[in-house]
Amino acid sequence: MTTEQAIQVPADKAARGQVRHHGSGRGNLRGWMFVGPVVLGTLAFNVIPVAPTLVTSFTDWDGLSAPKFTGLANYEQMFSGSDPLFGRSLINTLIYTVGYVPVGIVIGIALALLVNNRLRGMAVIRALIFLPYVTSLVAVGVVSRWVFSDQYGIINAILAAFGITGPHWLGEPASAMAAVIVTAIWANMGFNMIIILAGLQGVPESLIEAATLDGAGRLSRFVHVTLPFLTPTIFMLSILQTIGSFQVFALILVMTGGGPGDGTYVYIYHLWYQAFTLRKMGYASALAVALFAILLAVTWIQNRLSKRWVFYQ
Amino acid sequence: MTIDETLAREQIEQRRPTMPEGDAGGGRRRHRSGGILAPTAVYVACVLVAIVAIGPFLWMLSSSFKEPGDVISLTPRLLPHPFTGENYAYLINNGVLPFLRFLGNSAYITVLVILGRLCVCALGAYGFARLQFRGRDAAFGLLLASLMIPDMLMVLPLYSAYVETGLINTHFPLIIPPIVANTFGTFLLRQFFLTIPREYDEAALVDGASHFRIFVSIILPLSKPALATLAVLTFVNVWNDFFGPLVYLSDVDKFTVPVGLAFFQTQDSTQYGPLMAGATLAIIPTVLVFVFAQKYFTRGISMTGIK
């Protein structure tokens, strides 16, 4: 939509005889006075800094003294297995992503269908569900660490009411990862709900009515009419959430600190630890470049697969 | 030059529903209830979901007023029985982690970023939406492309640049880049500015107004809803930012609320009371802003046809 409008604007102006501004020295200067700050700011803080990351990824550098060029050594270290935590963090990130993205989207769909009812008080319900999303992930992590606490946590208190002794959630690698995933789903369910709610509006009313007349039941209408129309939204969410999942950090740092053992030690945690605790800026840069490559690859695969299931009108 | 603002606003209100996709235009009402459940079942489900969504927050709030022994009670109760402000007092007076200071730091950083970002993004959006100049489309393409670069690729060089320039451990990295390098806000406002009828600028130009004058006296007043939306989104992002302050700050005195809270947790992981008080203080501003911003969210939703 944006590019389309960008093209429309000049045509619009030309039609009104305003082309005289185009190309005139004063007009150019004026234009740049308006867009200059954001363009220069983006160049300085977003675009230009990418190049040094590529360069330092081929060096051994502590961030302070002069970097030593080491060629592909950082990349060799990653892929030859001499940094076992690289593989571990990648696997943990994948587990997190696979656990979080699909379930998060299914819950988002369920919630969107629920609050799409035109009943009194729905706006309040929508707001309440959205609330965890606008809350700091650190606060969410603090609260959820406590919710999952083995002795004082509400989950084990509820289990105890049924005579079940709850596990030490954050004390075992598998259940700690599960607790982090559940927390992430909880924190983001409002966002997924809102996006899918918007997607539900793209479903043509007439098709639902036609299906109803043909005698399709509610479930059948959902599966055969609504769901296909939601697939572009679901696809977009799955891309966004996957990219977000590969960068999960605050929640991990606060809830588990990467532990127990290396049970929740994820990719960005590894990158952060290498860069700012071990001061291996060169290696951390290589990790950042590899992350970018991984994200491109994953997005490309998702895109390819989408041709099989995403339905465009 | 007199512009009838009310008339202008009405025209924009009429135009705006066509902006997002959907069929809200013309006030057409939906017939479908949209649901697959009976109303009673819907309400029951809604209440359960709402409890799951905000239950932990309520418990957090309640525990922040409990005495230490009750916070970690094995038989938890929702209402604090001996009601005490002790946790808040400890949080504020413990001397090691000055929480009020964190709140102050977060507040001033957030306010500066919101004000600065509104100015820079609005100026840029006006330039891209309303002006013709050499290099405009290339510059716009550059901004679009920059959206695709992951943060991680620029954090490390920026970090060392800040070290070299002595800007590390200052609030500069948390304030200036978020103000001047916000492409999303520029896009958002540009989209809105494009919906404002061009006739207004032209009438003003004929009357001899400068573009800056048009920007300040016509476009900005008509764009209050969009500016407010950007302000709210910025508030939530900046107030909750964790990675930036964690990486760029080392003096405790300079911490913002999320980093302070995280440190509090690692330092006193067993003291749930003060921790819950801190988490409560951390989310109160967001909740207030969110409640205040509700109408923008609901308007966004109603624009797409949901009621």
Side-chain angles (χ1 to χ4, degrees), chain A residues 59-128:
Chain A
T59 65
D60 182 12
W61 190 36
D62 60 5
L64 299 168
S65 52
K68 278 194 293 279
F69 183 76
T70 54
L72 290 170
N74 288 326
Y75 293 96
E76 269 175 44
Q77 190 186 347
M78 261 189 267
F79 294 108
S80 67
S82 59
D83 172 17
L85 282 174
F86 168 75
R88 187 67 246 169
S89 69
L90 207 51
I91 290 169
N92 283 341
T93 305
L94 279 174
I95 294 173
Y96 173 84
T97 306
V98 170
Y100 163 69
V101 179
V103 180
I105 290 176
V106 168
I107 288 179
I109 295 174
L111 290 176
L113 290 173
L114 179 70
V115 302
N116 196 29
N117 284 283
R118 291 177 52 183
L119 296 172
R120 281 182 78 83
M122 272 308 159
V124 177
I125 300 290
R126 282 202 285 259
L128 293 182

Side-chain angles (χ1 to χ4, degrees), chain A residues 1-3 5-6 9-10 12-13 16 18 21-23 27-28 30-35 37-39 41-47 49-50 52-53 61 63-64 111 113-123 125-140 142-143 145-147 149 151-154 157 186 189 194 197-198 200-201 203 205 208-209 218-219 222 226 247 249-250 253-255 268 271-272 275-276 279 281 284-285 288-289 291-292 295, chain B residues 19 23 29-37 39 42-43 45-46 49-50 52-54 56-57 59-60 63 71-72 74 76 120 123-124 126-137 139-140 142-144 146 148-160 162-163 172 176-177 180-183 186 190-191 194 198-199 202 205 211-212 215 236 240 242-243 246-247 258 261-262 265 269 272 275-276 279 282-283 286-287 290 294 297-298 301 304-307:
Chain A
M1 193 160 70
T2 40
T3 38
Q5 258 148 343
V9 176
D12 202 24
K13 275 243 163 184
R16 292 158 202 266
Q18 291 226 346
H21 291 304
H22 191 71
N28 286 339
R30 186 181 54 218
W32 280 99
M33 278 166 68
F34 276 91
V35 304
V38 67
V39 172
T42 306
L43 271 176
F45 294 107
N46 280 358
V47 178
V50 173
T53 305
W61 190 36
L64 299 168
L111 290 176
L113 290 173
L114 179 70
V115 302
N116 196 29
N117 284 283
R118 291 177 52 183
L119 296 172
R120 281 182 78 83
M122 272 308 159
I125 300 290
R126 282 202 285 259
L128 293 182
I129 296 172
F130 202 67
L131 199 61
Y133 181 71
V134 296
T135 305
S136 132
L137 275 179
V138 175
V140 163
V142 165
V143 174
R145 197 183 145 103
W146 186 46
V147 165
S149 154
Q151 289 180 56
Y152 321 120
I154 194 164
W186 173 74
M189 64 188 184
I194 291 282
L197 208 47
L200 279 176
Q201 302 312 304
V203 183
E205 193 78 16
I208 303 233
E209 277 159 16
R218 281 173 165 156
L219 186 65
F222 174 72
T226 310
Q247 300 175 66
F249 179 72
L253 186 78
V254 176
M255 274 184 78
I268 294 294
L271 201 161
W272 171 77
F276 299 108
R279 307 225 133 252
M281 289 295 190
S285 296
V289 173
L291 175 67
F292 186 42
L295 284 180
Chain B
M19 215 173 69
D23 57 359
R29 293 236 156 195
R30 297 238 146 194
H31 305 294
R32 176 168 49 118
S33 73
I36 46 176
L37 294 170
V42 170
Y43 276 123
C46 279
V49 170
V52 170
I54 63 158
F57 292 132
W59 204 31
M60 169 187 92
S63 303
V71 174
I72 52 171
L74 290 177
V120 169
L123 276 172
Y126 184 86
F128 285 122
R130 287 296 215 247
L131 297 175
Q132 286 292 324
F133 53 92
R134 197 182 299 276
R136 186 192 70 176
D137 295 346
F140 194 70
L142 175 92
L143 292 197
L144 264 180
S146 78
M148 285 156 219
I149 305 170
D151 287 350
M152 270 305 145
L153 279 184
M154 39 223 177
V155 167
L156 302 174
L158 285 178
Y159 177 85
S160 43
Y162 294 140
V163 171
F172 177 92
I176 301 304
V180 295
N182 193 251
T183 39
T186 310
R190 174 179 171 273
Q191 285 305 104
L194 286 173
R198 219 158 258 282
E199 285 77 8
E202 276 155 23
L205 277 176
H211 271 287
F212 190 72
F215 170 68
V236 171
N240 292 337
F242 177 61
F243 197 79
L246 180 77
V247 167
L261 203 56
Q265 154 117 356
S269 56
Y272 280 114
L275 203 54
M276 291 300 120
I283 77 161
T286 3
V287 172
F290 176 65
Q294 252 295 302
F297 285 110
T298 40
I301 292 166
T304 54
I306 312 164
K307 270 277 147 64

Side-chain angles (χ1 to χ4, degrees), chain A residues 223-279:
Chain A
V223 172
H224 298 293
V225 183
T226 310
L227 203 53
F229 276 95
L230 278 184
T231 50
T233 308
I234 293 172
F235 175 56
M236 184 198 74
L237 266 182
S238 69
I239 297 259
L240 280 179
Q241 307 281 35
T242 303
I243 291 174
S245 293
F246 270 84
Q247 300 175 66
V248 59
F249 179 72
L251 212 49
I252 299 280
L253 186 78
V254 176
M255 274 184 78
T256 64
D262 52 18
T264 58
Y265 192 87
V266 288
Y267 197 91
I268 294 294
Y269 201 91
H270 190 45
L271 201 161
W272 171 77
Y273 190 77
Q274 294 293 323
F276 299 108
T277 305
L278 302 182
R279 307 225 133 252

